[in-house]
Amino acid sequence: MIPFKELAHSNRRFLGMFIQSTSSELVEIVGYAGFDFVIIDMEHGPIDYSTSRILVQAADAAGIVSTIRVAERSPVSVCKALDAGASGVVIPGISSVSDAMAAIEYAKYAPLGTRGACPCVRANRYGFGGESFYKRANETTSVILLLEGKSAMESFDTISSTKGLDAILLGPVDLSHSLGFPGQIHHPVVTNTLIDMINKSKELNVCVGVFCTELQEAKRWYELGVNYVVYNVDTMLFAETCSEVKANLIE
């Protein structure tokens, strides 16, 4: 199974989904359905560190790339997510170059960063991966920065040029709140801001993706040049499917 880093540098469109439930079965199903990766969400879902490791194992079993959105931008949160064996980390709350540099530093071992080193973590096969693990981890671990606020968008050029960054993920929901249109993710101001960031990412040759919950919208984002789409959340997609079945069978 290839790491997220290879997806990000493959120059092809790829597809992911947020996982907020604690169900390893749903992670496997997303993999068997042909999605490229999942983002195990520790920021908004009920997932703790023990559960995140089980979900990473499920992703490995189904042959789908696993990443973890950490609950906070801290050395411990990033270290634990990567120690579980995730291919990369999605770091929320990025609004400046200093935020970006700190996030990347937390995800890399010395001399590139300050990630805590332990030889017996799952990511190193509990010690069977050998001493070369640290070098391999620095080369293959991905850092995805989640940009979802007005200040982040204003600093997009400099954030996107940060050394060690692998991909940008744009969050329209929080962005709509930050721009003064709470929840209105299709408002022209929100949409145009996202499009502006996508165009800049192409100029800077930075891998960029966006979260969305509608198929036609996802197709449009691909047409506008994003490298990847994070389509929906496992729980919300299940809720929508249940509602659709109910509406079509019983009035």
Side-chain angles (χ1 to χ4, degrees):
M1 181 173 57
I2 67 173
F4 183 91
K5 186 181 290 286
E6 290 192 26
L7 288 173
H9 296 284
S10 65
N11 293 318
R12 72 168 177 87
R13 297 173 178 175
F14 56 104
L15 180 64
M17 182 184 292
F18 271 113
I19 300 294
Q20 286 190 355
S21 74
T22 59
S23 171
S24 58
E25 290 84 358
L26 287 180
V27 173
E28 291 179 299
I29 289 168
V30 174
Y32 296 143
F35 280 61
D36 296 290
F37 72 102
V38 292
I39 302 177
I40 297 164
D41 191 359
M42 296 185 67
E43 182 181 18
H44 292 298
I47 299 168
D48 60 17
Y49 288 114
S50 295
T51 304
S52 71
R53 184 172 63 177
I54 293 171
L55 299 183
V56 170
Q57 290 172 325
D60 290 345
I64 186 171
V65 175
S66 63
T67 63
I68 293 177
R69 174 160 72 172
V70 295
E72 60 183 358
R73 191 179 67 253
S74 72
V76 173
S77 293
V78 173
C79 182
K80 282 182 173 291
L82 294 175
D83 283 355
S87 179
V89 281
V90 178
I91 313 291
I94 300 296
S95 59
S96 66
V97 175
S98 60
D99 290 343
M101 292 176 65
I104 294 166
E105 178 181 306
Y106 299 157
K108 301 296 181 180
Y109 291 114
L112 301 181
T114 58
R115 176 181 170 185
C118 177
C120 55
V121 295
R122 180 179 183 272
N124 192 31
R125 301 180 183 179
Y126 308 104
F128 287 103
E131 294 180 359
S132 61
F133 161 69
Y134 305 109
K135 182 176 184 295
R136 292 196 310 273
N138 275 352
E139 293 172 349
T140 61
T141 295
S142 293
V143 179
I144 305 111
L145 301 183
L146 181 53
L147 307 188
E148 45 192 351
K150 183 178 179 180
S151 58
M153 298 305 168
E154 293 171 346
S155 303
F156 185 87
D157 289 6
T158 50
I159 291 174
S160 299
S161 301
T162 307
K163 185 178 180 180
L165 166 68
D166 293 292
I168 293 289
L169 175 58
L170 303 177
V173 180
D174 277 321
L175 179 62
S176 70
H177 285 260
S178 181
L179 292 175
F181 306 98
Q184 300 177 54
I185 61 174
H186 300 300
H187 191 284
V189 172
V190 178
T191 300
N192 289 335
T193 301
L194 290 170
I195 292 173
D196 184 41
M197 297 305 102
I198 292 167
N199 290 336
K200 286 183 177 181
S201 74
K202 297 297 103 181
E203 296 172 5
L204 296 168
N205 194 30
V206 175
C207 178
V208 65
V210 65
F211 169 74
C212 67
T213 60
E214 300 175 11
L215 285 174
Q216 290 305 315
E217 183 184 14
K219 291 178 181 178
R220 180 168 177 265
W221 286 126
Y222 278 131
E223 291 170 356
L224 287 170
V226 301
N227 301 93
Y228 67 99
V229 165
V230 180
Y231 184 77
N232 225 317
V233 181
D234 59 346
T235 51
M236 188 157 64
L237 186 58
F238 182 66
E240 291 172 357
T241 302
C242 290
S243 297
E244 183 180 351
V245 171
K246 169 64 166 55
N248 281 281
L249 290 180
I250 300 176
E251 296 182 0

